[in-house]
Amino acid sequence: MSPTPKWKPRGEMTLLNTGYARLDGPDKVTGRAVYSHDVRLPRQVYARLVLHSYPRAELTSLDLEPARRIPGVVLVEAQKAAGDELVYLGDDSIVAYVAAETPEAAKDAARAVRAAFRDHYPPMVTREQSLSPGAPSITGRGNTSGARDRGDEAAVDSALEGAAVVVEQVYELPIQHHVCLETHGHVVDYDGESATCYASTQAVSGSVDEFARNLGLPADKVRVLTPVMGGGFGAKFGIGLEGAICCLIAKKLLRPVHLMLDRPQEFQMAGNRSGTWVRMRGGIDAQGRLVGQFAEVDRLGGTGGGAFPLMPYIYACETNAARTRSVHTALDSNRAMRAPGHPQASFAQESFLDELAYAAGLDPVEVRKVNVESDVYRRHLDVVADAIGWDAHPNRTAPGEAGADGWAEGIGFGLATWRAGGRPGCEVEVRITPDGAVTSSCAVQDLGTGSRTLVAAIIAEELGLPLSAVTARIGDSDLPPSVGSGGSVTTGALAPALKVAAHRAREALEQRLVPVLGAEVGDYEWVRGRVRVAGEGDMTMSFGEVCALLGNQPLSVRGEYDGSLDADGSLHGAQAARVRVDTLTGRVEVLDMVATHDQGIPLNRLALTSQINGGMIQALSYGLLEERVLDAEMGWLLSDNLESYKIAGPKEMPRLRVILDEDDGRNLATGMAEAPVIPGHSAIANAIFNACGARLRSLPFTPDRVLAALAERA
Amino acid sequence: MAKRPREPRESDPQGPDLSRRSFLVSAGSAAAGSVLAGGLAGAATAAEAQESTDGRLAGLVNVRLKINGEQRTVAVEPRTTLLSTLRHRLDPALTGTKEVCDRGNCGACTVLVDGRPVYSCLQLACTLEGSEITTVEGLGSPDDMSDVQQAFCDKDASMCGFCTPGFVVATTACLAKHAAPDDATIRHELSGNLCRCGTYPHIFEAAASAASKSGGRGR
C-alpha cells in the first residue's frame, strides 16, 4: 500500500473544487437543527446568572431569600460573599446564580436577588484612566504589562533623515465584540455517575476535560455534544465560568441544567477583540520604499493582554523598531477573535502606508507593491485593482473632491496574511458496511464553516460517490478526536486525516477486488458510483457490489493528520473597496468590495466564497459601526444589545465579489477563516480618504468622525 | 476627566430595572390590568390571571393559537412572549424560532402572525388569541422544503444557521408581498434581520432565486 496519498490534480476532482450544498442545510433552513439553546430534556431547569453592572466594587451585602421565595425557583446560590471585591466588568461581575422551572421564574429570581455594593471610583474603563498618574492598580499588579522594545528607535530616526516624506500619526481601534448569535452557554445533564454536556463550543474534544474536572468525573464519563453551534469566531473555547456554574448546579440538583447567557450578559462577559492605540512614525523614499518605521503599540485587552502581531505588518522595512505593551482596564479579558490582533495591525499599517503614499504624490497600489516581499501580493493587488476599476479611476495619487451634490467616490486597498494549513490532532474513522453504507466520523465541530460537509465530501471524492452517499458524524466527543477550531487550522488539520482515511478505505476495498478483477491495489478507478480497472473501458462493478465482497464484516479504517497534505508557509490576500461619502452629512456608503486570497485547493467553492464574504462583511461592520461603549464616569456598558452595538445588516451590504485564486499552485488543503477578515476596514478607510481627503484614524467611521476629518483637511 | 465625588454609591445588581415586566409592575396593578384586559377579553374562560400578595400579576392564561395549522390551547403567563411560548410552553417545543436579542433588534425570532412577519419576542402570547402562527417549522420539513428553504440550501445562504429561520420566514413574507422583487426590495424587506457570519449576499441570491421559481407564491 502506498503510505502517503496525494490530492488529485484539481482538474480531475469531481466534487472537491466544485461548489456544493451543505449537508446540514435542510435542518438549518427548516428549524430542525438543535443547538444547545434548543435542548429540552425531561426535568430540565433553567439557570441564570446575576451580574453587577459596575466594574470595580465591593459587595457589601447580599440577600438571596427574596429570590428563593419566588414560585418555581429551585436554587439560588451566591457566587460572591459580602466583603468580596469585584475586580472587573465581566465574569467577575457574577454575584449569584439561580435555577428555576421556567426561564421566566429564573428571570424573576435573578431580579429578586438583593445586593448592595460600594463602587470604587474611577471605574478604570479607559486607557486614559488606567494611565493617569496615581491611578489605582486594577489587579494589584500595575496597569501595564508585557512591555517589549524591539529594534533601535534612534536608528529609525536617522534613517528617516534620508526620507522623501515622513509621517507621524496615532491610530485607534475600539473593542469589538464577537456577537455570536447563539450566546455562550451549555446544557449539562449529570446523573451522579456520568454526564452529557450539550456545549456551544469551538472545541468538542477539548471541552471534555474541563467539564469532567468541574463535575468531579473521570473524562471517560463525560460526553460533549455539539452537532451545530450558533457562531464562535474565537470566543467559545473554554467552558467559561458559566460552564463551571452550570456543572455546579447540575451536581447539586441532579437535573439537566440549561444555562445560557442573555444578550446583555454576552456583551458584558463573553469576550471581545482587544482595542488598540498605535503611534506610527516613518517615511518612504522617492520610489515609495519604506526607509524606516517606528510603532508604539498599547494593546487594550481589559484584564487580558490584548493581541497584536509584529510590526511592520506584512510590509518589509529593514530599519524598524517597535515598543509594545498591554494597558489594562477593569474590563473582561479579550479573547481570540478571527485573526487576533491582525485587523488592528492592518488598520494602523495600511492607513499609515497610505498616508505616506499620498503625501509623496505616489499611487498607493504601487507603493504597496514596492514594499511587499512576495510576488503573490503583487499578483493579488493587480487582481483586485483590476476588478475594482483602479486604472480608470480619476484620482489615484491625490484625494478627490465632492461633486455638486456633496458626494465623493473613492477606492482603497489592504492586504492580509495568515499561517497556512493545520496541525496534528484530528483522527477520522471511515466505516463501510456490506450493504454499501459509508459513514465518516470525527468529533470536530462545525461553526458554520462547513466542516460537517467536508467530513463526507473528501470520502465521497475518493470513492467516486455522490455526497449524499456518505453520512457525516461530527460534534460528539465519543467520536475520533479533533483539534479545536481556531486560527484557521480546522480544514488544514481535518482534510488530511479525511484524505488518509479515505485512501485506506479505498485500498482496503481494492484488496477485495484483486481476486475478482485481477488488478493490483492502486490500479482501480472509482467514478460515479462504479469501479473499473484503471484504463479499461467499461465500469465493471457498482459500489454496492464491491461492498458486498465484505461478506458480513463491515470495514473500518482510521486516518490521522499527515503534514504532506496541507499547505504550510503563509496565506496571502488583497482586498479593495469602493465607497461613496456624503461630505455634507459624513455618511459613508460602501459600494463594492473585492477579495482574492490564495486558498490552496478550493475544497468547496460555495462554502469558501461564503467564508470570504463573511470576512469582508465583518470587516465592513467593524469599520462602519462596531464599538464597545462604556460610560467613563459611571463605568456602565452602554452598548449591551444590538440596538446600541450595531452590526451590519442587509442595507449596509455592498456588491461583494470573491475572486478565487486559480493561480495558487499549492494543491494542498488550508482553512480560510482569518485572512479574509483582516483588511476590509483598512481598505474602506483608505477609500474614504481617496474619495474626499478625510483621513479616518479611528474606528468606526461614523458620520461625526468623517465630518471632523473633513474639517481637518480644510 | 470630569469631577465626581468619591463617595460610596449603593446600586442594584442589574442597575435600573427597565424591563417590560417592571414597567407593568411599577405602573401599578390598575394600569397593568388594563394593558392585559385586551388580551384577556377573548381568552379562554379558564383564565387565571390574578394578583399575588406582592402586587405582581401571577397565574396562567389559556390562549388559543393555531400554530403551523394545528389548533393549540397554551397556558401562559400574561407576560410570556410568543417567542417564549413557542420555545418553552409547547410540548414538544418549537425551537426553530431563535432567541438572539429578545428586544426586537435582530429578527431571529421572526414568525408569521396571520401571514404578517412579526418579531415574536415583542408579542405577548396572551394578546394573540385566535391568531394563526406560522414558524419556520411550518414552512417545510427537511424532506419537503419550501422553495425559499430549498433556495437557501442551494445558494449556501446559511452558515452557523442561527439567523437562518428568521431570514427564511422574512423572505417568505417578502415573496408573499412582492411577486418579483428587485434587489432593493429584497434588501428592504429583509432589513429587519441580522446575520453575523456574513451570509447576506447568498441570502439575496436565494430570495431572488425562490421568487423566480415560485412566481411570487412565497413558497
Side-chain angles (χ1 to χ4, degrees):
Chain A
M1 289 194 203
S2 56
T4 304
K6 282 194 165 31
W7 297 105
K8 271 189 254 184
R10 284 182 217 180
E12 293 175 22
M13 292 175 172
T14 55
L15 180 59
L16 305 179
N17 194 36
T18 70
Y20 46 94
R22 289 164 200 245
L23 292 174
D24 48 12
D27 280 348
K28 286 179 174 174
V29 302
T30 60
R32 264 58 168 201
V34 178
Y35 298 76
S36 296
H37 268 218
D38 304 330
V39 171
R40 302 286 180 268
L41 299 171
R43 301 182 63 243
Q44 175 173 300
V45 296
Y46 291 87
R48 194 173 170 84
L49 305 175
V50 182
L51 270 64
H52 185 37
S53 56
Y54 184 87
R56 304 169 55 242
E58 179 197 341
L59 178 62
T60 54
S61 72
L62 182 65
D63 182 5
L64 305 178
E65 288 313 312
R68 290 187 170 128
R69 285 198 294 271
I70 304 263
V73 171
V74 294
L75 174 140
V76 182
E77 293 289 337
Q79 172 70 11
K80 298 259 187 193
D84 281 356
E85 287 290 327
L86 280 60
V87 176
Y88 59 88
L89 197 73
D91 57 7
D92 205 40
S93 309
I94 304 170
V95 293
Y97 48 90
V98 305
E101 302 289 351
T102 64
E104 283 87 355
K107 252 182 212 179
D108 289 348
R111 286 196 189 109
V113 168
R114 308 274 35 119
F117 302 88
R118 183 173 295 116
D119 294 342
H120 305 310
Y121 187 82
M124 307 289 287
V125 293
T126 65
R127 172 176 176 272
E128 291 69 29
Q129 285 174 347
S130 292
L131 294 177
S132 66
S137 172
I138 293 160
T139 59
R141 296 190 298 269
N143 291 341
T144 61
S145 69
R148 195 162 163 222
D149 277 2
R150 266 193 332 94
D152 180 357
E153 194 182 341
V156 171
D157 284 331
S158 44
L160 292 181
E161 284 166 17
V165 181
V166 174
V167 165
E168 177 164 359
Q169 288 295 350
V170 171
Y171 305 90
E172 288 183 272
L173 299 103
I175 290 171
Q176 183 190 24
H177 287 282
H178 302 74
V179 200
C180 314
L181 291 197
E182 182 183 35
T183 58
H184 283 61
H186 317 281
V187 176
V188 173
D189 183 8
Y190 168 76
D191 64 6
E193 288 167 5
S194 65
T196 305
C197 304
Y198 303 83
S200 186
T201 182
Q202 298 181 221
V204 167
S205 299
S207 297
V208 172
D209 284 349
E210 218 182 333
F211 277 117
R213 200 165 53 247
N214 280 283
L215 290 164
L217 288 174
D220 63 358
K221 295 291 184 192
V222 172
R223 184 179 186 191
V224 176
L225 293 176
T226 312
V228 286
M229 58 95 75
F233 312 113
K236 290 184 180 168
F237 282 104
I239 71 170
L241 188 48
E242 67 279 9
I245 289 172
C246 192
C247 289
L248 265 180
I249 299 172
K251 279 177 75 176
K252 278 209 173 107
L253 298 178
L254 292 178
R255 294 175 65 175
V257 179
H258 181 285
L259 197 169
M260 299 289 160
L261 305 189
D262 68 15
R263 186 57 52 184
Q265 293 172 346
E266 179 81 4
F267 277 107
Q268 182 168 340
M269 61 172 270
N272 57 76
R273 179 191 293 290
S274 49
T276 314
W277 180 97
V278 189
R279 186 200 306 279
M280 305 276 294
R281 183 166 75 251
I284 53 176
D285 63 19
Q287 286 72 48
R289 191 176 303 274
L290 278 165
V291 296
Q293 177 176 304
F294 172 70
E296 186 185 351
V297 180
D298 284 352
R299 296 178 298 257
L300 307 171
T303 48
F308 204 84
L310 284 179
M311 294 295 262
Y313 181 68
I314 294 182
Y315 300 99
C317 177
E318 205 172 304
T319 310
N320 74 80
R323 190 156 69 220
T324 58
R325 64 177 175 176
S326 303
V327 175
H328 301 292
T329 51
L331 298 172
D332 55 328
S333 170
N334 66 296
R335 297 187 189 181
M337 180 168 176
R338 277 182 100 165
H342 285 239
Q344 296 98 311
S346 165
F347 179 63
Q349 184 72 61
E350 296 284 1
S351 300
F352 177 68
L353 194 61
D354 222 60
E355 295 210 46
L356 285 169
Y358 286 108
L362 297 171
D363 178 330
V365 173
E366 295 308 316
V367 169
R368 282 175 171 75
K369 286 184 183 174
V370 165
N371 287 292
V372 289
E373 284 174 332
S374 168
D375 280 336
V376 178
Y377 282 125
R378 284 183 269 273
R379 183 163 59 77
H380 284 174
L381 278 165
D382 284 338
V383 168
V384 297
D386 182 53
I388 204 85
W390 182 243
D391 282 350
H393 189 60
N395 34 298
R396 294 199 298 280
T397 55
E401 299 284 344
D405 60 356
W407 286 89
E409 197 169 309
I411 293 172
F413 298 86
L415 300 180
T417 185
W418 195 252
R419 189 180 60 247
R423 59 180 174 81
C426 280
E427 289 177 36
V428 169
E429 185 199 15
V430 171
R431 190 179 157 85
I432 302 174
T433 56
D435 64 357
V438 183
T439 308
S440 174
S441 307
C442 177
V444 69
Q445 51 287 325
D446 188 333
L447 280 58
T449 54
S451 53
R452 174 186 291 275
T453 308
L454 195 62
V455 164
I458 289 176
I459 313 303
E461 174 78 44
E462 185 84 11
L463 298 176
L465 296 171
L467 181 61
S468 58
V470 182
T471 301
R473 295 182 63 210
I474 67 159
D476 179 348
S477 65
D478 280 359
L479 299 174
S482 168
V483 298
S485 290
S488 295
V489 301
T490 312
T491 300
L494 177 63
L498 287 162
K499 174 69 182 175
V500 169
H503 179 78
R504 287 181 184 152
R506 184 170 60 76
E507 292 203 326
L509 289 176
E510 289 180 359
Q511 276 184 331
R512 308 299 206 287
L513 285 173
V514 173
V516 183
L517 297 179
E520 290 304 306
V521 170
D523 287 343
Y524 294 89
E525 286 172 0
W526 302 73
V527 187
R528 288 187 296 280
R530 300 189 69 86
V531 65
R532 68 178 171 198
V533 176
E536 294 189 1
D538 292 337
M539 302 308 292
T540 315
M541 291 172 77
S542 72
F543 184 74
E545 289 164 344
V546 177
C547 294
L549 298 174
L550 294 169
N552 55 11
Q553 194 63 30
L555 172 70
S556 172
V557 297
R558 282 218 173 199
E560 62 291 312
Y561 173 77
D562 180 326
S564 69
L565 292 166
D566 65 323
D568 50 20
S570 292
L571 296 176
H572 312 76
Q575 295 184 11
R578 180 188 285 270
V579 308
R580 225 157 70 97
V581 182
D582 183 347
T583 57
L584 302 179
T585 65
R587 196 161 75 86
V588 176
E589 205 177 293
V590 182
L591 301 172
D592 194 0
M593 288 180 82
V594 187
T596 193
H597 294 269
D598 49 358
Q599 72 290 302
I601 304 167
L603 292 164
N604 179 350
R605 285 174 174 262
L606 206 44
L608 181 60
T609 302
S610 288
Q611 188 78 315
I612 298 174
N613 275 338
M616 285 192 277
I617 290 167
Q618 285 189 357
L620 177 151
S621 187
Y622 187 35
L624 294 188
L625 299 165
E626 296 184 38
E627 181 174 22
R628 182 187 220 184
V629 181
L630 289 130
D631 187 306
E633 276 298 294
M634 304 304 286
W636 294 333
L637 177 61
L638 301 176
S639 52
D640 74 344
N641 207 326
L642 290 163
E643 79 277 4
S644 46
Y645 186 96
K646 291 285 189 190
I647 64 170
K651 292 222 166 169
E652 280 85 28
M653 286 308 105
R655 177 185 187 203
L656 289 152
R657 285 178 288 164
V658 174
I659 301 172
L660 296 184
D661 185 355
E662 310 294 349
D663 296 325
D664 181 18
R666 296 176 292 189
N667 207 48
L668 296 164
T670 187
M672 190 46 72
E674 331 288 316
V677 87
I678 294 170
H681 54 292
S682 312
I684 290 169
N686 292 336
I688 293 170
F689 180 83
N690 177 260
C692 61
R695 177 55 69 182
L696 276 296
R697 298 192 183 92
S698 55
L699 268 64
F701 315 135
T702 47
D704 58 320
R705 290 196 171 117
V706 173
L707 291 177
L710 279 167
E712 194 186 316
R713 183 194 187 191
Chain B
M1 193 181 299
K3 302 283 184 298
R4 207 191 76 151
R6 296 189 182 208
E7 290 136 15
R9 188 156 59 85
E10 302 279 307
S11 63
D12 197 66
Q14 297 201 318
D17 191 347
L18 295 173
S19 66
R20 179 171 59 237
R21 179 183 163 75
S22 69
F23 172 76
L24 289 174
V25 171
S26 64
S29 55
S34 70
V35 167
L36 290 165
L40 292 177
T45 50
E48 298 169 48
Q50 54 189 251
E51 280 180 39
S52 64
T53 49
D54 64 356
R56 293 172 192 239
L57 284 166
L60 299 175
V61 189
N62 280 336
V63 181
R64 280 192 307 254
L65 301 170
K66 195 172 185 185
I67 303 173
N68 296 333
E70 197 184 322
Q71 196 65 54
R72 310 281 295 257
T73 301
V74 194
V76 297
E77 292 179 63
R79 47 84 178 259
T80 305
T81 61
L82 175 59
L83 172 61
S84 184
T85 302
L86 296 168
R87 291 182 56 82
H88 300 293
R89 297 295 170 127
L90 300 177
D91 189 17
L94 284 176
T95 56
T97 307
K98 299 300 184 219
E99 178 182 322
V100 168
C101 70
D102 208 21
R103 206 144 83 182
N105 291 314
C106 73
C109 66
T110 305
V111 300
L112 302 178
V113 175
D114 298 327
R116 218 164 44 86
V118 304
Y119 290 160
S120 61
C121 73
L122 294 185
Q123 292 280 329
L124 296 181
C126 68
T127 66
L128 297 171
E129 172 69 18
S131 299
E132 209 167 304
I133 315 293
T134 306
T135 71
V136 69
E137 290 98 334
L139 296 176
S141 63
D143 296 327
D144 181 24
M145 289 189 279
S146 71
D147 287 348
V148 169
Q149 289 167 328
Q150 184 66 56
F152 268 63
C153 290
D154 295 345
K155 300 295 181 185
D156 207 41
S158 174
M159 292 180 75
C160 88
F162 217 70
C163 72
T164 306
F167 269 106
V168 166
V169 174
T171 303
T172 302
C174 166
L175 300 194
K177 201 165 147 191
H178 308 279
D182 59 14
D183 191 52
T185 304
I186 289 170
R187 285 167 189 244
H188 178 72
E189 293 290 341
L190 299 184
S191 63
N193 293 62
L194 295 172
C195 162
R196 185 51 159 171
C197 296
T199 56
Y200 299 118
H202 288 169
I203 289 173
F204 304 152
E205 282 180 30
S209 160
S212 64
K213 189 168 176 197
S214 60
R217 282 180 293 112
R219 203 201 124 91

